[in-house]
């Protein structure tokens, strides 16, 4: 071997840089963990600092909750898909809403034209929610709803339907995303200014504590930041900074940390870079446990646990050679499991092209089932514990994330940093670098910039019926003609009054929805009081 070749192969020379820009060494050994103490940095599974997982037995007793994200077109169409998923063995539903619903607009609003039912299901009123969950045993399934600014509205509609099914609200379980801060950073489906949004989040915390004790009140999300280009370190840093902001807002509203914090949950991505993703999840748990214990004085162990849902990385799926996405999703799912997720959604291989077909959705679920029942990764807790490589990478990701969190704190906290554009600018810079690396061939994407097939096989995507918008408009017209409009207007007036003061807005909101007020009418009532946020409002 030549001197140059020997130098190139030397273990002391980094051969690769990870997603967070941190070096990955060809070989790790004892020297990389000098001064490292398992007792303080690892602990036992289910114990502080939860590096090894939030539960002592993790998957050795039962696997994670297997969710599949679904929802498209009409409520009736989505309901059929939910029944198919339940029959295929899924234990949790995950609802995708269309853009008008996510933005708090009815299907017949002019701004909704062309978007009704396109990227999720259209929900305008309690009538649609009844159809969506028709025949679904709501006391036996856990339902996650990807909804943010109008989260309270959809949660209350779910509760109302559950009550109509005869289910005690205390037995309803699931999660609402309800994380509007990340919308200002990376996604854009916000409605109200940040201060009003935090007020609404705190009201939801208090309401669920009293009425829906098994519901996770928020899913603080790094997934969408990662989809926008955030590195693993940025993903957990900005997500945990948002979590700190929510916790502080709830405490400022008079809530006790150990009463609401056990229902907080998180939502992260799983990329194909398996080792760094495992390190990311472990670092996130350790940081959050320390923040909750030392900064907020949480004493309930459940308040210190970072429980999270994971979705495989949609941004890494390719339209070229879509079947290769099956391999990507399997690796990403494995990373989530080895990282200790509490629930998992695996993307369908065709999602880079269109909404997933029935077969593709079933294959995505089967991927999880193979991981759970045909591998041995569920036989032992945190199999990477003590690994020279993974423990070193966990420490490195933690250090990088804490540095970013300190910058957010120096700027005045998550909201102040959002208003200064800090997180958004950092993520955009990371996304730009990824794009350059792909274009330059430094980052290999199989089927895109290497191992390309000249003519991909023709793929027929799932298509949404273009008449859905017309049908939804007709349903709204019938609803408005049939309901007691005086009752609706009276309930909306009560809602505006509560929003103008300090009363919890969810109680009058529930009465309005039960009277068949629409999603758009309820959100408009709050818009009248709280206003709307635009990027121009940022400093």
């Amino acid at each position: 071997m030549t001197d140059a070749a020997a130098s190139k192969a030397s273990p002391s020379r980094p051969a690769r840089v990870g997603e967070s820009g941190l070096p990955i060494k060809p070989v790790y050994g004892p020297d990389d963990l000098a001064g490292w103490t398992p007792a303080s940095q690892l602990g036992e599974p289910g114990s502080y600092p939860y590096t090894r997982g939030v539960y002592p037995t993790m998957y050795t007793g039962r696997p994670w909750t297997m969710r599949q994200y679904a929802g498209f077109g009409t409520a009736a169409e989505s309901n059929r898909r939910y029944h198919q998923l339940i029959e295929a063995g899924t234990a949790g539903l995950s609802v995708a809403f269309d853009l008008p619903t996510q933005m708090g607009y009815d299907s017949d609003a002019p701004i909704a034209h062309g978007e009704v039912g396109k990227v999720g299901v259209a929900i305008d009123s309690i009538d649609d929610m009844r159809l969506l969950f028709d025949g679904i045993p709501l006391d036996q399934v856990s339902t996650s709803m990807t909804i943010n600014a109008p989260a309270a509205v959809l949660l209350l509609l779910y509760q109302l339907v559950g009550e109509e099914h005869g289910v005690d609200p205390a037995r309803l379980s699931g999660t609402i995303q309800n994380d509007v801060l990340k919308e200002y950073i990376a996604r854009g489906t916000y409605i109200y200014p940040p201060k009003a949004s935090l007020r609404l989040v705190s009201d939801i915390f208090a309401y669920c504590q009293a009425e829906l004790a098994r519901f996770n009140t928020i899913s603080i999300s790094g997934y969408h930041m990662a989809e926008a280009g955030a590195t693993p370190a940025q993903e957990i840093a900005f997500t945990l900074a948002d979590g700190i902001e929510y916790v502080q807002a709830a405490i400022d509203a008079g809530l006790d940390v150990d009463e609401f914090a056990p229902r907080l949950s998180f939502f992260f991505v799983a990329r194909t870079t398996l080792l760094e993703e495992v390190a990311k999840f472990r670092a996130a748990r350790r940081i959050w446990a320390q923040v909750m214990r030392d900064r907020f004085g949480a004493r309930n162990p459940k308040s210190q646990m970072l429980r999270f849902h994971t979705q495989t990385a949609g941004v890494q799926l390719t339209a070229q050679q879509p079947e290769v996405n099956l391999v990507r999703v399997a690796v990403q799912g494995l990373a989530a499991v080895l990282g200790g997720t509490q629930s998992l959604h695996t993307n369908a291989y065709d999602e880079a092209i269109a909404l997933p077909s029935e077969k593709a959705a079933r294959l995505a679920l089967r991927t999880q089932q193979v991981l759970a029942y045909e591998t041995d990764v569920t036989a032992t807790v945190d199999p990477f514990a003590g690994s020279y490589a993974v423990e070193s990478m966990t420490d490195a990701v933690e250090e990088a994330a804490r540095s970013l969190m300190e910058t957010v704190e120096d700027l005045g906290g998550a909201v102040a940093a959002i208003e200064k554009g800090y997180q958004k600018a950092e993520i955009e810079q990371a996304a730009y670098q990824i794009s350059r690396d792909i274009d330059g061939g430094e980052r290999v994407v199989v089927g895109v910039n290497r191992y390309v097939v000249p003519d991909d096989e023709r793929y027929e995507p799932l298509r949404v019926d273009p008449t859905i918008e017309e049908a939804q408009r007709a349903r709204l017209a019938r609803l408005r003609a049939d309901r007691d409009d005086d009752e609706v207007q009276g309930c909306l007036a009560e809602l505006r009054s509560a929003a103008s003061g300090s009363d919890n807005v969810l109680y009058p909101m529930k009465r309005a929805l039960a009277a068949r007020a629409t999603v758009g009418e309820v959100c408009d009532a709050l818009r009248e009081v709280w206003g709307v946020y635009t990027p121009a409002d940022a400093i």
Side-chain angles (χ1 to χ4, degrees):
M1 181 183 291
T2 65
D3 291 342
S7 175
K8 191 171 184 179
S10 170
S12 64
R13 178 174 176 171
R16 186 167 170 179
V17 174
E19 295 282 310
S20 295
L22 304 170
I24 300 176
K25 297 173 63 174
V27 177
Y28 287 85
D31 290 346
D32 294 294
L33 295 181
W36 184 81
T37 55
S40 61
Q41 291 172 279
L42 278 184
E44 295 297 322
S47 299
Y48 186 90
Y50 304 102
T51 310
R52 301 197 64 190
V54 294
Y55 302 124
T57 59
M58 289 302 289
Y59 313 131
T60 60
R62 64 181 179 87
W64 57 93
T65 299
M66 298 180 194
R67 296 191 185 279
Q68 287 308 113
Y69 189 47
F72 62 95
T74 66
E77 287 179 288
S78 294
N79 176 263
R80 286 192 289 272
R81 176 63 64 84
Y82 294 158
H83 280 283
Q84 291 165 357
L85 288 170
I86 290 172
E87 290 168 6
T90 190
L93 301 176
S94 186
V95 185
F97 298 96
D98 71 357
L99 280 176
T101 305
Q102 292 180 49
M103 297 296 293
Y105 292 110
D106 291 331
S107 295
D108 59 357
I111 197 171
H113 179 61
E115 292 293 341
V116 176
K118 288 292 180 65
V119 298
V121 61
I123 299 294
D124 291 313
S125 71
I126 192 171
D127 292 7
D128 291 326
M129 195 64 106
R130 288 176 182 133
L131 277 175
L132 185 63
F133 291 103
D134 183 44
I136 304 291
L138 298 185
D139 57 343
Q140 298 175 35
V141 300
S142 171
T143 302
S144 174
M145 292 185 278
T146 303
I147 195 73
N148 294 284
V153 183
L154 277 301
L155 173 67
L156 293 172
L157 287 174
Y158 187 80
Q159 180 185 354
L160 286 165
V161 170
E163 290 172 349
E164 291 178 355
H165 288 191
V167 179
D168 183 340
R171 295 183 63 192
L172 293 172
S173 65
T175 304
I176 47 173
Q177 194 160 102
N178 192 30
D179 175 13
V180 76
L181 291 183
K182 66 95 173 48
E183 298 294 326
Y184 304 116
I185 295 171
R187 194 159 173 269
T189 63
Y190 46 75
I191 299 177
Y192 318 112
K195 184 177 180 181
S197 294
L198 289 174
R199 149 81 185 279
L200 186 54
V201 168
S202 297
D203 279 0
I204 291 170
F205 287 0
Y207 180 87
C208 288
Q209 184 179 316
E211 307 290 339
L212 295 164
R214 293 181 62 191
F215 239 88
N216 295 320
T217 53
I218 194 168
S219 179
I220 308 165
S221 175
Y223 179 87
H224 303 92
M225 298 184 208
E227 293 287 281
T231 69
Q234 289 173 338
E235 178 192 353
I236 62 171
F238 298 152
T239 303
L240 299 186
D242 286 352
I244 289 169
E245 194 83 36
Y246 291 127
V247 171
Q248 189 62 58
I251 291 172
D252 291 345
L255 302 182
D256 181 86
V257 67
D258 279 324
E259 291 184 353
F260 70 82
R263 301 314 304 175
L264 304 180
S265 64
F266 292 80
F267 176 23
F268 295 116
V269 78
R271 301 170 179 83
T272 52
T273 45
L274 187 147
L275 295 180
E276 188 173 7
E277 291 299 283
V278 170
K280 177 193 75 178
F281 294 131
R282 299 168 89 250
R285 278 194 295 270
R286 198 153 68 199
I287 296 171
W288 187 248
Q290 185 270 322
V291 166
M292 293 303 291
R293 187 190 70 173
D294 298 345
R295 175 168 177 166
F296 293 113
R299 292 294 171 258
N300 184 345
K302 292 183 179 179
S303 301
Q304 302 169 5
M305 295 178 183
L306 184 142
R307 297 173 303 112
F308 64 95
H309 169 70
T310 308
Q311 181 173 340
T312 55
V315 73
Q316 290 187 322
L317 302 182
T318 64
Q320 300 91 333
Q321 302 180 48
E323 291 82 0
V324 177
N325 293 328
L326 286 165
V327 182
R328 294 187 177 101
V329 168
V331 173
Q332 293 162 356
L334 181 60
V337 172
L338 291 171
T341 192
Q342 276 58 72
S343 65
L344 176 61
H345 162 76
T346 36
N347 289 323
Y349 73 89
D350 55 359
E351 285 188 56
I353 303 170
L355 291 169
S357 61
E358 180 183 342
K359 180 180 180 180
R362 185 171 61 248
L363 283 170
L365 176 61
R366 294 288 182 254
T367 302
Q368 295 200 48
Q369 292 165 338
V370 168
L371 290 174
Y373 302 113
E374 293 191 23
T375 76
D376 59 1
V377 296
T378 60
T380 187
V381 178
D382 188 27
F384 277 128
S387 159
Y388 296 134
V390 170
E391 298 298 357
S392 297
M393 294 172 74
T394 300
D395 290 348
V397 172
E398 178 181 2
E399 182 180 357
R402 285 187 182 276
S403 177
L404 289 165
M405 292 173 72
E406 288 174 6
T407 301
V408 171
E409 285 293 307
D410 291 343
L411 291 170
V415 169
I418 287 168
E419 291 174 339
K420 293 178 174 67
Y422 169 68
Q423 299 98 317
K424 190 171 186 291
E426 289 291 302
I427 292 170
E428 287 174 349
Q429 179 59 39
Y432 175 66
Q433 187 61 52
I434 291 171
S435 180
R436 287 193 61 181
D437 290 348
I438 293 173
D439 290 345
E442 295 174 31
R443 179 187 292 255
V444 175
V445 181
V446 174
V448 175
N449 63 1
R450 196 177 296 184
Y451 312 113
V452 177
V453 175
D455 296 309
D456 281 346
E457 296 179 6
R458 181 174 176 79
Y459 172 80
E460 187 61 34
L462 176 72
R463 300 191 185 280
V464 176
D465 186 346
T467 66
I468 285 172
E469 182 174 336
E470 181 181 344
Q472 283 296 113
R473 293 171 68 92
R475 283 175 58 79
L476 279 166
R478 289 195 298 272
L479 176 143
R480 293 192 176 104
D482 292 344
R483 70 187 184 183
D484 184 337
D485 200 56
D486 289 339
E487 181 185 8
V488 170
Q489 295 307 319
C491 291
L492 292 174
E494 290 180 18
L495 175 59
R496 286 190 289 269
S497 177
S500 299
S502 59
D503 290 345
N504 192 311
V505 298
L506 271 76
Y507 292 95
M509 188 184 292
K510 184 184 178 188
R511 289 191 289 272
L513 293 167
R516 300 175 78 194
T518 68
V519 171
E521 289 167 340
V522 169
C523 292
D524 283 344
L526 295 180
R527 284 184 180 98
E528 290 177 31
V529 178
W530 292 339
V532 297
Y533 179 83
T534 64
D537 296 327
I539 295 174

